[in-house]
Amino acid sequence: LLSLQDDGSFTSQDIDEFVKNEGLLRLQGGRSRVTLVFSRAAVPTVDLTVRANFPVSTLPDEVSGSTVTFITSADATLVAAQASAYFNPVTQRYELQVPAISLATGIDANIGPNRAKRPLRPLVGFDSVSNADGAIGGRASETNSELIERYFVSLTGTSPTTIDGITKILRNLYPSVIDSYAVYGNNSLNVRSATDGGAIDVYTIGDIPTTITESVVFTGVGQVLPLKR
């Protein structure tokens, strides 16, 4: 460890116990996130609610037979009085989108589109469920090399007033951050330097998607709609 090399002579338990001296624990990976689409062909006449923790799994893999199970992470309701707002003209179905997370961690939970289509409870008011887009965010547990790298970050800096300290905080507290870049001084990317002396800006790359909602005025068919993002 002290030679900055992972030559395979250490077991995972050896490394876990060693880095624990710096208050570090191995990151155990992350769950994947997906949007499940509950749909029906007929016009709904009553409100239809999908509760949080509703389980939906993939069909068994043809080779391994394994499945990935997702559970909805929030309540969602298809309001019958506004049924037209849920109608998808492409599929000709009434659709309710519900966020969900995988029960298991790891990259195997990052399934492709249209794979999570087996409800593990009776569907009430809907004909089917699936995922139009693939699942993202599933991460395997931290490897020995990654844990060693984070260990050295903890040795080189612990104060949040230093670059290394900021990097350590990011890596320890936000496992979804996969890389970071700190800028300071006269760096042109340090956008706060003109108004905040000694400021440090940190640019991060992560794997958590952000949903941005923007309202625009419809100016007519064939007209360009400029978006801010």
Side-chain angles (χ1 to χ4, degrees):
L1 285 171
L2 294 178
S3 66
L4 281 174
Q5 295 178 355
D6 176 20
D7 59 5
S9 61
F10 299 100
T11 67
S12 295
Q13 183 177 356
D14 291 335
I15 297 174
D16 286 342
E17 293 178 353
F18 192 96
V19 302
K20 193 174 182 180
N21 292 327
E22 291 297 316
L24 299 184
L25 296 175
R26 186 184 299 269
L27 300 177
Q28 295 303 313
R31 301 181 181 186
S32 66
R33 298 169 298 280
V34 73
T35 298
L36 297 176
V37 180
F38 292 78
S39 68
R40 56 179 284 143
V43 180
T45 57
V46 296
D47 292 353
L48 302 174
T49 299
V50 175
R51 298 295 183 187
N53 298 317
F54 187 97
V56 177
S57 82
T58 60
L59 298 177
D61 184 88
E62 294 180 356
V63 177
S64 65
S66 62
T67 61
V68 179
T69 300
F70 294 83
I71 58 173
T72 54
S73 55
D75 293 348
T77 300
L78 191 160
V79 181
Q82 302 172 5
S84 60
Y86 300 89
F87 184 72
N88 185 337
V90 176
T91 61
Q92 292 292 300
R93 299 178 67 85
Y94 295 88
E95 298 178 346
L96 177 66
Q97 297 187 4
V98 187
I101 59 174
S102 65
L103 290 180
T105 61
I107 59 175
D108 289 341
N110 294 335
I111 64 171
N114 303 314
R115 288 201 54 208
K117 54 178 59 178
R118 185 176 67 168
L120 300 183
R121 293 179 188 167
L123 281 179
V124 179
F126 294 97
D127 303 331
S128 64
V129 60
S130 187
N131 60 306
D133 300 315
I136 60 174
R139 299 185 307 278
S141 61
E142 199 170 27
T143 66
N144 288 346
S145 296
E146 291 169 340
L147 183 54
I148 290 173
E149 178 188 355
R150 194 158 58 91
Y151 167 75
F152 278 101
V153 170
S154 70
L155 291 182
T156 55
T158 57
S159 171
T161 61
T162 65
I163 299 300
D164 291 326
I166 292 173
T167 303
K168 176 186 178 183
I169 291 172
L170 283 172
R171 294 288 296 273
N172 288 352
L173 298 185
Y174 306 97
S176 62
V177 171
I178 58 178
D179 201 1
S180 62
Y181 179 59
V183 295
Y184 50 91
N186 295 324
N187 192 309
S188 60
L189 295 177
N190 186 12
V191 297
R192 297 185 298 127
S193 59
T195 57
D196 189 357
I200 295 176
D201 285 337
V202 182
Y203 293 82
T204 62
I205 298 176
D207 59 8
I208 295 179
T210 300
T211 300
I212 299 174
T213 302
E214 182 178 339
S215 298
V216 297
V217 177
F218 177 64
T219 54
V221 176
Q223 301 300 310
V224 175
L225 298 177
L227 303 178
K228 295 179 180 179
R229 302 175 186 269

PDB file of all heavy atoms in Angstrom, residues 43-48 77-86 94:
ATOM      1  N   VAL A  43     -59.573   4.068 -22.109  1.00  0.00           N
ATOM      2  CA  VAL A  43     -59.606   5.356 -21.417  1.00  0.00           C
ATOM      3  C   VAL A  43     -59.907   5.113 -19.932  1.00  0.00           C
ATOM      4  O   VAL A  43     -60.892   4.440 -19.601  1.00  0.00           O
ATOM      5  CB  VAL A  43     -60.688   6.268 -22.021  1.00  0.00           C
ATOM      6  CG1 VAL A  43     -60.714   7.612 -21.295  1.00  0.00           C
ATOM      7  CG2 VAL A  43     -60.433   6.469 -23.503  1.00  0.00           C
ATOM      8  N   PRO A  44     -59.096   5.632 -19.021  1.00  0.00           N
ATOM      9  CA  PRO A  44     -59.372   5.433 -17.597  1.00  0.00           C
ATOM     10  C   PRO A  44     -60.582   6.242 -17.144  1.00  0.00           C
ATOM     11  O   PRO A  44     -60.755   7.390 -17.545  1.00  0.00           O
ATOM     12  CB  PRO A  44     -58.083   5.918 -16.916  1.00  0.00           C
ATOM     13  CG  PRO A  44     -57.497   6.895 -17.879  1.00  0.00           C
ATOM     14  CD  PRO A  44     -57.841   6.394 -19.244  1.00  0.00           C
ATOM     15  N   THR A  45     -61.395   5.633 -16.311  1.00  0.00           N
ATOM     16  CA  THR A  45     -62.586   6.326 -15.788  1.00  0.00           C
ATOM     17  C   THR A  45     -62.437   6.696 -14.315  1.00  0.00           C
ATOM     18  O   THR A  45     -63.249   7.457 -13.791  1.00  0.00           O
ATOM     19  CB  THR A  45     -63.823   5.435 -15.961  1.00  0.00           C
ATOM     20  OG1 THR A  45     -63.598   4.178 -15.296  1.00  0.00           O
ATOM     21  CG2 THR A  45     -64.100   5.175 -17.439  1.00  0.00           C
ATOM     22  N   VAL A  46     -61.432   6.144 -13.655  1.00  0.00           N
ATOM     23  CA  VAL A  46     -61.142   6.480 -12.257  1.00  0.00           C
ATOM     24  C   VAL A  46     -59.640   6.732 -12.134  1.00  0.00           C
ATOM     25  O   VAL A  46     -58.855   6.288 -12.974  1.00  0.00           O
ATOM     26  CB  VAL A  46     -61.568   5.347 -11.293  1.00  0.00           C
ATOM     27  CG1 VAL A  46     -63.073   5.139 -11.336  1.00  0.00           C
ATOM     28  CG2 VAL A  46     -60.842   4.057 -11.624  1.00  0.00           C
ATOM     29  N   ASP A  47     -59.260   7.454 -11.091  1.00  0.00           N
ATOM     30  CA  ASP A  47     -57.840   7.696 -10.856  1.00  0.00           C
ATOM     31  C   ASP A  47     -57.136   6.362 -10.577  1.00  0.00           C
ATOM     32  O   ASP A  47     -57.644   5.516  -9.836  1.00  0.00           O
ATOM     33  CB  ASP A  47     -57.643   8.632  -9.670  1.00  0.00           C
ATOM     34  CG  ASP A  47     -58.140  10.047  -9.970  1.00  0.00           C
ATOM     35  OD1 ASP A  47     -58.511  10.304 -11.133  1.00  0.00           O
ATOM     36  OD2 ASP A  47     -58.151  10.865  -9.029  1.00  0.00           O
ATOM     37  N   LEU A  48     -55.949   6.210 -11.145  1.00  0.00           N
ATOM     38  CA  LEU A  48     -55.170   4.981 -10.981  1.00  0.00           C
ATOM     39  C   LEU A  48     -53.839   5.332 -10.327  1.00  0.00           C
ATOM     40  O   LEU A  48     -53.070   6.135 -10.868  1.00  0.00           O
ATOM     41  CB  LEU A  48     -54.931   4.307 -12.330  1.00  0.00           C
ATOM     42  CG  LEU A  48     -56.195   3.940 -13.131  1.00  0.00           C
ATOM     43  CD1 LEU A  48     -55.811   3.414 -14.497  1.00  0.00           C
ATOM     44  CD2 LEU A  48     -57.018   2.916 -12.355  1.00  0.00           C
ATOM     45  N   THR A  77     -49.896   8.920  -9.669  1.00  0.00           N
ATOM     46  CA  THR A  77     -51.321   8.748  -9.973  1.00  0.00           C
ATOM     47  C   THR A  77     -51.644   9.230 -11.374  1.00  0.00           C
ATOM     48  O   THR A  77     -51.235  10.335 -11.774  1.00  0.00           O
ATOM     49  CB  THR A  77     -52.194   9.516  -8.956  1.00  0.00           C
ATOM     50  OG1 THR A  77     -51.930   9.021  -7.639  1.00  0.00           O
ATOM     51  CG2 THR A  77     -53.677   9.334  -9.276  1.00  0.00           C
ATOM     52  N   LEU A  78     -52.378   8.407 -12.108  1.00  0.00           N
ATOM     53  CA  LEU A  78     -52.945   8.807 -13.402  1.00  0.00           C
ATOM     54  C   LEU A  78     -54.330   9.372 -13.115  1.00  0.00           C
ATOM     55  O   LEU A  78     -55.219   8.645 -12.676  1.00  0.00           O
ATOM     56  CB  LEU A  78     -53.017   7.606 -14.354  1.00  0.00           C
ATOM     57  CG  LEU A  78     -53.334   7.887 -15.825  1.00  0.00           C
ATOM     58  CD1 LEU A  78     -52.884   6.714 -16.693  1.00  0.00           C
ATOM     59  CD2 LEU A  78     -54.819   8.150 -16.047  1.00  0.00           C
ATOM     60  N   VAL A  79     -54.492  10.655 -13.338  1.00  0.00           N
ATOM     61  CA  VAL A  79     -55.733  11.349 -13.011  1.00  0.00           C
ATOM     62  C   VAL A  79     -56.716  11.182 -14.167  1.00  0.00           C
ATOM     63  O   VAL A  79     -56.459  11.630 -15.292  1.00  0.00           O
ATOM     64  CB  VAL A  79     -55.473  12.837 -12.738  1.00  0.00           C
ATOM     65  CG1 VAL A  79     -56.775  13.539 -12.362  1.00  0.00           C
ATOM     66  CG2 VAL A  79     -54.433  13.001 -11.626  1.00  0.00           C
ATOM     67  N   ALA A  80     -57.836  10.529 -13.900  1.00  0.00           N
ATOM     68  CA  ALA A  80     -58.802  10.226 -14.959  1.00  0.00           C
ATOM     69  C   ALA A  80     -59.335  11.483 -15.626  1.00  0.00           C
ATOM     70  O   ALA A  80     -59.565  11.509 -16.839  1.00  0.00           O
ATOM     71  CB  ALA A  80     -59.947   9.398 -14.384  1.00  0.00           C
ATOM     72  N   ALA A  81     -59.550  12.549 -14.850  1.00  0.00           N
ATOM     73  CA  ALA A  81     -60.102  13.782 -15.416  1.00  0.00           C
ATOM     74  C   ALA A  81     -59.136  14.447 -16.392  1.00  0.00           C
ATOM     75  O   ALA A  81     -59.541  15.286 -17.197  1.00  0.00           O
ATOM     76  CB  ALA A  81     -60.459  14.755 -14.289  1.00  0.00           C
ATOM     77  N   GLN A  82     -57.871  14.068 -16.330  1.00  0.00           N
ATOM     78  CA  GLN A  82     -56.863  14.623 -17.237  1.00  0.00           C
ATOM     79  C   GLN A  82     -56.250  13.515 -18.091  1.00  0.00           C
ATOM     80  O   GLN A  82     -55.074  13.541 -18.431  1.00  0.00           O
ATOM     81  CB  GLN A  82     -55.768  15.326 -16.427  1.00  0.00           C
ATOM     82  CG  GLN A  82     -56.292  16.434 -15.532  1.00  0.00           C
ATOM     83  CD  GLN A  82     -55.226  16.980 -14.605  1.00  0.00           C
ATOM     84  OE1 GLN A  82     -54.063  16.609 -14.682  1.00  0.00           O
ATOM     85  NE2 GLN A  82     -55.630  17.870 -13.711  1.00  0.00           N
ATOM     86  N   ALA A  83     -57.059  12.534 -18.439  1.00  0.00           N
ATOM     87  CA  ALA A  83     -56.566  11.347 -19.138  1.00  0.00           C
ATOM     88  C   ALA A  83     -55.830  11.683 -20.423  1.00  0.00           C
ATOM     89  O   ALA A  83     -54.842  11.025 -20.781  1.00  0.00           O
ATOM     90  CB  ALA A  83     -57.723  10.398 -19.429  1.00  0.00           C
ATOM     91  N   SER A  84     -56.284  12.707 -21.139  1.00  0.00           N
ATOM     92  CA  SER A  84     -55.654  13.045 -22.413  1.00  0.00           C
ATOM     93  C   SER A  84     -54.183  13.424 -22.245  1.00  0.00           C
ATOM     94  O   SER A  84     -53.382  13.262 -23.169  1.00  0.00           O
ATOM     95  CB  SER A  84     -56.410  14.181 -23.084  1.00  0.00           C
ATOM     96  OG  SER A  84     -56.413  15.345 -22.261  1.00  0.00           O
ATOM     97  N   ALA A  85     -53.835  13.939 -21.065  1.00  0.00           N
ATOM     98  CA  ALA A  85     -52.447  14.326 -20.818  1.00  0.00           C
ATOM     99  C   ALA A  85     -51.528  13.118 -20.715  1.00  0.00           C
ATOM    100  O   ALA A  85     -50.304  13.249 -20.838  1.00  0.00           O
ATOM    101  CB  ALA A  85     -52.355  15.162 -19.543  1.00  0.00           C
ATOM    102  N   TYR A  86     -52.091  11.941 -20.464  1.00  0.00           N
ATOM    103  CA  TYR A  86     -51.297  10.725 -20.320  1.00  0.00           C
ATOM    104  C   TYR A  86     -51.312   9.866 -21.589  1.00  0.00           C
ATOM    105  O   TYR A  86     -50.702   8.799 -21.620  1.00  0.00           O
ATOM    106  CB  TYR A  86     -51.831   9.882 -19.157  1.00  0.00           C
ATOM    107  CG  TYR A  86     -51.793  10.597 -17.820  1.00  0.00           C
ATOM    108  CD1 TYR A  86     -52.870  11.374 -17.386  1.00  0.00           C
ATOM    109  CD2 TYR A  86     -50.683  10.519 -16.992  1.00  0.00           C
ATOM    110  CE1 TYR A  86     -52.846  12.042 -16.178  1.00  0.00           C
ATOM    111  CE2 TYR A  86     -50.651  11.175 -15.776  1.00  0.00           C
ATOM    112  CZ  TYR A  86     -51.740  11.937 -15.379  1.00  0.00           C
ATOM    113  OH  TYR A  86     -51.704  12.588 -14.175  1.00  0.00           O
ATOM    114  N   TYR A  94     -52.528   4.896 -22.761  1.00  0.00           N
ATOM    115  CA  TYR A  94     -52.467   5.848 -21.651  1.00  0.00           C
ATOM    116  C   TYR A  94     -51.340   5.388 -20.721  1.00  0.00           C
ATOM    117  O   TYR A  94     -51.362   4.260 -20.216  1.00  0.00           O
ATOM    118  CB  TYR A  94     -53.805   5.913 -20.922  1.00  0.00           C
ATOM    119  CG  TYR A  94     -54.907   6.453 -21.797  1.00  0.00           C
ATOM    120  CD1 TYR A  94     -55.654   5.600 -22.612  1.00  0.00           C
ATOM    121  CD2 TYR A  94     -55.184   7.817 -21.842  1.00  0.00           C
ATOM    122  CE1 TYR A  94     -56.651   6.097 -23.443  1.00  0.00           C
ATOM    123  CE2 TYR A  94     -56.185   8.324 -22.665  1.00  0.00           C
ATOM    124  CZ  TYR A  94     -56.914   7.450 -23.467  1.00  0.00           C
ATOM    125  OH  TYR A  94     -57.888   7.941 -24.286  1.00  0.00           O
TER     126      TYR A  94
END
